[in-house]
Structures are given as C-alpha cells and as structure tokens.
Amino acid sequence: MRRYFGRKLLVYGLTFFVAVTINWMIPRFMPGDPVSSMVARTGASNPAAAETMRVYYTNLFGFDQPLWKQYVNFWGALFQGDFGISIWVFPTPVTEVILGAVPYTLGLMIPSVLLSWVVGNWFGAYAARRKVLDNTLLPVGYVLTAMPYMWLAVLLAWGLGVVAGWFPVAGGYSFSMQPSWSWEFILDLLHHWVLPFASLFLVALGGWAIGMRNMIIYELESDYSNYLAALGAPQRLIRRYAFRNAVLPQITGLALQLGVLVAGALVTEIVFSYPGLGSLILKAIQNQDFFLLQGTFLFIVLGVLIANFIIDIVYVVVDPRTRAGMAGAAA
Amino acid sequence: MTALQEVPAQDAAAPAGVRREALYFALRNGKLLTGFGIVLTLFLLGLLGPLFLSGTGSEYGTQPMQPPSAEHWFGTTTFGQDVFTQFVYGLRTTFVVGAMGGGIAAVIAMLVGFVAGYRGGLVDEALNMFTNIVLVIPTLAVLLIINAYLGVRSVGAQALFIGLTSWPWAARAIRAQTFSLRTRDFVDLARLSGANTWKVITREIAPNMSSYLFMTFILLFGGSVLIASSLDFIGLGPTEGISLGLMLQNANQWSAMQLGMWWWFIPPGAGITAIVGSLYVANVGLDEVFNPKLRET
C-alpha cells in the first residue's frame, strides 16, 4: 500500500512540477514583447509614463534577470501564494479573484459529478441484460455523451429559461441582490444553480451508464458468474457480485474523466455567465489578462491532482487487493 | 501426408475467410451501418456542399435574423450570414480537426503503447510515468494556456495541439493489449527467427489488434471534435474560416438564445452530436462484428 501511494504521489508531484514549468515557460515563447503589449494596453499615451510603467513591469516580472533565476523566483512566489496582479480587475491579486470564483465552480461540479456517477452506474447496472431498458437507455446514453457540454447547456437555457421562463439563464444570483446568508439569497442562488447543474449532470450521466452496462455484461459472462448460476444462486446475488466488480473500473474511469469534466464545467459556466472559473477564463482571454489565466490554470491542475488523490484513497478503501499489496490498480 | 498438405491450404484461406466473415456481419449490423451512414452523409455534405453554395458563410447579408426559409435553409444570423453555409463549412473544419487530432493522437498512442508494452522493464516504467503525467494534467487547461499565449489560431495547429495532449488513455489501453500479446507463441517465434522490435510490432502485434486500434482511433476522433468545439466556444478557435464550435460561440456571444434565434445554435450542436454519437454507435457495431461473443443472437 505504501508503494501504491508512493507511486501515485510521485506522479502527482511530477505532474505539478511539469504544470508549473509549462506555466512559466509558455509566456517566454509568446510572440512579441509581453511587457510592451501590456504597457500599450494600459493606454499610456504619455511616453514618459509608458517608460516608467515598463521599468515597473520589468522589475515586477524579473525580465532583466537570468533565466534560471526567473524560474526560481517563479517557484518562490508560487509558494507564497503570489500569482501576480490581475489586469482585468487591476489591482486585485489573482489569488483573490480566483478564490472568489472557486466556490461557484466547486458547488457546480462536486454535486453534478458525484450524482451523475452514482445515478449513471445505477442505471447502467439496471439496464444491462434487460432487453427493453437496454434498447432505450443505450441510444439515449450515446446521444448524451456525444453532446458538447455547452450545447446541452444552451438548449436547456433556451428551453427552460428563455421559452418557459422557469429558470434564470445568467449569473450566479440576481443582480439586485447582495451575497449574504439570508434564506432569500440562498434560494436565489439555488434557482440560478439548477440549470448549469442539470446540464453538467445529464451529459456526464450517459457516459457512466454506458460504461457500467458494458462492465456488467462483461462480469456476467465471467467464470464466477457462471459458476454461481450453476450452483443455483439467485440472479439478484449474481448481479450484486457483478456490480461490485464492475464498480472498480468505474472509479478509475472517474479519475480519467476529471479533465473532461472540468472542461465541461468551464464551458457550461460560460453559457450561463456563472461566476466560476470558466467565466474567469473567458474574461482573462478577452482582456488579455495572462496572470489571471496562468493562475486559473494552476488552480485547475491543483484541483484535479487533489481529486485524483482522493479517488486513489477511495480505491484503496474499496478494493482490498491494493491494501494487501497486490497489483489491484497497477497504474 | 494429406493432413499436412491440407494445413497450409487452410492457413492461406483463413485470413480471407475471417475478412469475409467480418464483412458478412458488418453488412448485417444495424448499429454499424446507421452510425457510418450518418457520418458519411455529413462528411459528403461538408466535402461537396461548398461546390453548390455561393460564399463561405462569413459574408454579411441584407436579411438579418431570418428564420429558416426556402432561401435560407437554416435561417440567417444577426449579421445576415447564411447559417446553412456556415454549417457546411463548419462540418469541413470539424472533420479536419477530428481526423488530424485523432490521427496524431493515435500515432503517439501506438508508439508509446507498443514500445512500453513490448519492451517492458525500465522503458515501460519511464513511458508509463510520462503517460500518467500527461493523463493527469487537464487537457483543456493546457490547451487554453498554449492557445492564448502562442496565438495558435489555425485549424491545423489546433488539431496538432489536441493530438499532442489527448493520447494518454489510448496509449495505456494499447500497452495493456500489447502486454497480453507479447508472450504468445507466434511473437516468441518471430523473435527467435531474428526479427527486430520494429518488425515484431508491425508484423505480429499490430495486425493482431488492428480492429482494436481502429476503434481506438474512432474514439480519439470523436474526442478531438469535442475538445476543439470547447476551445472554439471559449474563444480560442481558428480566426480564419468557420467551425461548428465557432458558430456556437457566435450565437452565444450575440445572445441568439435571448433573441429566440434557435436556428443559429441548434444546427452546429446537432451536427457535433450527430457526428460524435454516430461514431460511438458505429464503434459498438464494430465491436460486435470483430468480437463474436457480443453478437446478438
């Protein structure tokens, strides 16, 4: 088990290292001079003022230092939680901007990912080897999983929001309200949360249901199932054993899908102008706010790594083979 | 003696027989035919459609915000652009991104998977570590950074970067398959007769999992299309030309939803869903053709 976690942590550590390096390196390959474009963007028409700004920025970002020192400085700043200053909402620190958006993204993602996984697995397991259900669930599942996240989001927003008028289609809460812990505000928050949640939930649901169905069919064909059936075990019992075995690859699948799920959440937020990381990324791109973009990138990578680690722990709890030191999840 | 003479004859006939059997089942597999039918129809529309259309869909017209009519099959945008023309050109882009991105990813996945699975040992450890690192990093986030900074705005470059980042799961799957094949007798025999690694992989291992490789490519193709559409939607799509994702982005940006212009945002999403969904369904059909266990009785 120690070996299992050791390997995992090594991979995550290296991944974080690679991500930070990418984050540091790519701006250096950017065509053109980032400082001059930033100075130009700030709209300093006065040449003297522009020059002062240039010196200020050059000092701030350390472009006058040797490359290796810039790299070390970058890591140093990172450990102090310093991601730079946002240009979009100058002069708020990037960390502050991101931390304000993270709760919305998490509030959207955690329930939709977990619920779609549970419900999808349940549906898939139930539909496997049941002709009628299988023939209806499978096509629906494939259509859902093939949908671009933003398209289902647009369809829901248009159908249930604009046409039916049941749900608001933009923002995390009404513009007339101030965030507070009153019931009124929380209800409003939930009202805005329903549609983005539903679209994330539905797209992910299809994939899990199909995966589970295929796994159950595979397990029901295996030797132990046939043996149990030959012994005269009730179908319910066989299915329960099949389910337990089929859940393991689905847990691994959840880890593999995390990147796709994050991407889905980002574009869904953009459709609904939901004030999470996705909208932040859009703002960062539109305003050429590279610090914000880089900070968001690192936050997402960090989040995915933490989620991966939690899934690893769950896997150890669920699969006794990993605990016994056998190669249960040799990855 | 007759028995011995019969064996080579049977062997020679076997591949053709397998192929004929596969074709027999392929032509009777509804999922495969429907799936590939839809994809082929959309492909031909994208390929041949522009020959019959005037303009490229980006020209501003005189009739903005028109619902679908005989003149404009899918209506027009806020700027009077013909949505159907955009759709047809968008299909082209989508197929190019899918084929290129999926193709590049498949090549990398095969290289990494075959070498890691066949060689084993330290090479496997190193490649596995590399695969896991790329696997854990969220692809879209990396693509965001790359596209935003380097200003990568051509379809080809977009497909290249998608290909470079979306191969890991396929490499792992191919590695596992190779692992189960490498100890088979025919592989040992090839190795004993002096074939080098490259030859063993291309002559013995790859052909034995060709159906699996083809299905992997299809999934990578679908994945590339979806990733590209997300990138386009965020605003990091190609600056020249049009794609289905860009159509969705434009529709969202110019509030087509609030204005009730459903004809602007339904076709591009439906196109992507149709292509990717049909590919998935065709893949299930292919699985049934190649794997007799799964065939419906």
Side-chain angles (χ1 to χ4, degrees):
Chain A
M1 188 161 95
R2 181 171 293 169
R3 194 177 126 79
Y4 170 79
F5 275 118
R7 282 183 73 97
K8 292 284 184 187
L9 282 177
L10 179 64
V11 169
Y12 299 152
L14 279 174
T15 307
F16 187 65
F17 176 77
V18 169
V20 171
T21 308
I22 290 178
N23 212 1
W24 172 80
M25 208 162 60
I26 286 178
R28 269 75 191 167
F29 290 142
M30 188 165 82
D33 180 357
V35 172
S36 63
S37 66
M38 255 180 279
V39 170
R41 250 193 48 76
T42 321
S45 49
N46 187 343
E51 189 51 38
T52 338
M53 273 190 80
R54 173 184 296 274
V55 173
Y56 170 73
Y57 274 129
T58 311
N59 284 336
L60 191 67
F61 310 145
F63 282 112
D64 56 342
Q65 287 172 326
L67 221 53
W68 66 269
K69 205 161 179 197
Q70 285 183 33
Y71 187 59
V72 173
N73 285 349
F74 190 77
W75 272 99
L78 208 66
F79 279 120
Q80 287 163 13
D82 178 12
F83 289 83
I85 307 284
S86 167
I87 293 166
W88 167 51
V89 278
F90 195 84
T92 321
V94 164
T95 321
E96 208 172 291
V97 179
I98 292 175
L99 285 180
V102 163
Y104 288 99
T105 300
L106 287 183
L108 211 52
M109 273 201 81
I110 294 177
S112 64
V113 168
L114 291 181
L115 262 178
S116 66
W117 190 81
V118 170
V119 176
N121 279 340
W122 189 80
F123 263 133
Y126 200 75
R129 282 287 153 83
R130 287 190 170 97
K131 205 89 194 169
V132 181
L133 255 179
D134 209 18
N135 284 342
T136 49
L137 184 103
L138 210 57
V140 174
Y142 275 109
V143 169
L144 283 179
T145 189
M147 272 189 190
Y149 276 92
M150 59 274 183
W151 190 55
L152 185 63
V154 168
L155 288 186
L156 284 180
W158 177 63
L160 299 180
V162 175
V163 175
W166 294 344
F167 296 100
V169 293
Y173 48 85
S174 301
F175 290 115
S176 56
M177 287 199 175
Q178 284 295 317
S180 64
W181 286 111
S182 65
W183 281 114
E184 205 185 349
F185 179 74
I186 291 172
L187 274 180
D188 189 54
L189 208 63
L190 276 176
H191 199 203
H192 281 80
W193 173 85
V194 172
L195 281 186
F197 163 79
S199 75
L200 279 176
F201 172 78
L202 282 174
V203 177
L205 185 71
W208 297 128
I210 290 168
M212 192 56 172
R213 170 202 172 262
N214 294 345
M215 284 309 303
I216 288 275
I217 287 180
Y218 175 81
E219 294 292 339
L220 285 180
E221 267 168 14
S222 65
D223 289 342
Y224 72 86
S225 296
N226 286 331
Y227 181 62
L228 274 177
L231 286 180
Q235 195 61 33
R236 266 184 65 88
L237 184 77
I238 303 176
R239 274 185 171 265
R240 200 187 309 155
Y241 277 114
F243 184 80
R244 288 180 144 210
N245 277 302
V247 154
L248 294 177
Q250 290 288 89
I251 295 178
T252 318
L254 186 59
L256 291 179
Q257 284 289 311
L258 277 174
V260 177
L261 293 169
V262 170
L266 297 184
V267 291
T268 304
E269 280 178 11
I270 291 177
V271 171
F272 290 101
S273 316
Y274 205 72
L277 289 177
S279 303
L280 221 53
I281 287 178
L282 188 69
K283 285 284 183 314
I285 290 170
Q286 283 169 351
N287 294 289
Q288 303 256 314
D289 188 345
F290 291 118
F291 290 102
L292 187 55
L293 197 61
Q294 283 188 291
T296 318
F297 168 74
L298 274 188
F299 256 80
I300 291 175
V301 171
L302 212 58
V304 168
L305 289 182
I306 293 172
N308 259 297
F309 191 63
I310 293 174
I311 292 174
D312 287 338
I313 294 174
V314 170
Y315 202 102
V316 171
V317 172
V318 175
D319 186 358
R321 284 173 297 185
T322 43
R323 261 173 292 170
M326 288 159 68
Chain B
M1 278 309 281
T2 45
L4 268 179
Q5 276 166 340
E6 264 174 27
V7 172
Q10 267 180 352
D11 258 0
V18 168
R19 233 165 278 156
R20 202 178 313 135
E21 194 200 337
L23 193 68
Y24 175 88
F25 282 106
L27 291 178
R28 278 157 189 77
N29 190 299
K31 291 177 190 133
L32 184 65
L33 292 181
T34 325
F36 274 147
I38 294 174
V39 174
L40 193 71
T41 311
L42 288 172
F43 177 72
L44 288 177
L45 182 61
L47 189 71
L48 305 175
L51 301 178
F52 303 99
L53 292 166
S54 56
T56 59
S58 51
E59 298 90 356
Y60 291 180
T62 49
Q63 298 168 296
M65 301 173 76
Q66 294 296 309
S69 61
E71 197 185 343
H72 299 288
W73 288 0
F74 287 178
T76 58
T77 70
T78 311
F79 309 103
Q81 296 152 316
D82 185 48
V83 177
F84 182 69
T85 313
Q86 287 194 341
F87 180 73
V88 169
Y89 276 94
L91 279 176
R92 273 192 171 190
T93 316
T94 298
F95 275 104
V96 169
V97 167
M100 263 187 75
I104 293 168
V107 169
I108 301 175
M110 281 195 274
L111 277 178
V112 173
F114 281 142
V115 173
Y118 181 70
R119 275 294 182 79
L122 260 182
V123 179
D124 181 32
E125 286 279 329
L127 283 177
N128 213 0
M129 191 65 90
F130 180 55
T131 310
N132 280 332
I133 289 173
V134 185
L135 188 69
V136 177
I137 293 186
T139 313
L140 192 84
V142 177
L143 290 175
L144 277 177
I145 291 281
I146 294 177
N147 280 22
Y149 270 110
L150 304 183
V152 178
R153 292 301 166 82
S154 73
V155 176
Q158 193 188 41
L160 175 72
F161 281 112
I162 290 175
L164 287 178
T165 46
S166 59
W167 54 269
W169 70 264
R172 262 170 67 152
I174 292 172
R175 172 184 169 271
Q177 289 280 317
T178 312
F179 225 72
S180 71
L181 282 177
R182 65 181 274 211
T183 47
R184 299 279 180 85
D185 289 343
F186 63 90
V187 177
D188 284 337
L189 197 65
R191 206 170 3 200
L192 280 176
S193 57
N196 58 20
T197 306
W198 174 252
K199 210 165 178 182
V200 172
I201 288 174
T202 52
R203 292 278 178 78
E204 308 294 336
I205 293 180
N208 268 291
M209 47 193 279
S210 54
S211 61
Y212 190 81
L213 294 176
F214 185 60
M215 291 192 288
T216 307
F217 169 70
I218 288 184
L219 291 182
L220 286 170
F221 186 109
S224 298
V225 169
L226 287 180
I227 296 173
S229 70
S230 295
L231 276 176
D232 293 351
F233 188 73
I234 292 176
L236 295 171
T239 35
E240 291 135 36
I242 188 80
S243 73
L244 296 180
L246 273 180
M247 287 173 74
L248 277 176
Q249 191 234 347
N250 282 333
N252 192 53
Q253 194 177 351
W254 301 104
S255 324
M257 196 165 71
Q258 284 82 354
L259 297 170
M261 295 165 70
W262 51 267
W263 56 88
W264 194 355
F265 57 78
I266 286 186
I272 297 171
T273 310
I275 291 173
V276 179
S278 312
L279 282 175
Y280 286 169
V281 171
N283 223 17
V284 179
L286 272 180
D287 209 7
E288 288 172 0
V289 169
F290 292 127
N291 186 352
K293 263 191 185 174
L294 296 174
R295 279 176 203 148
E296 280 171 40
T297 43

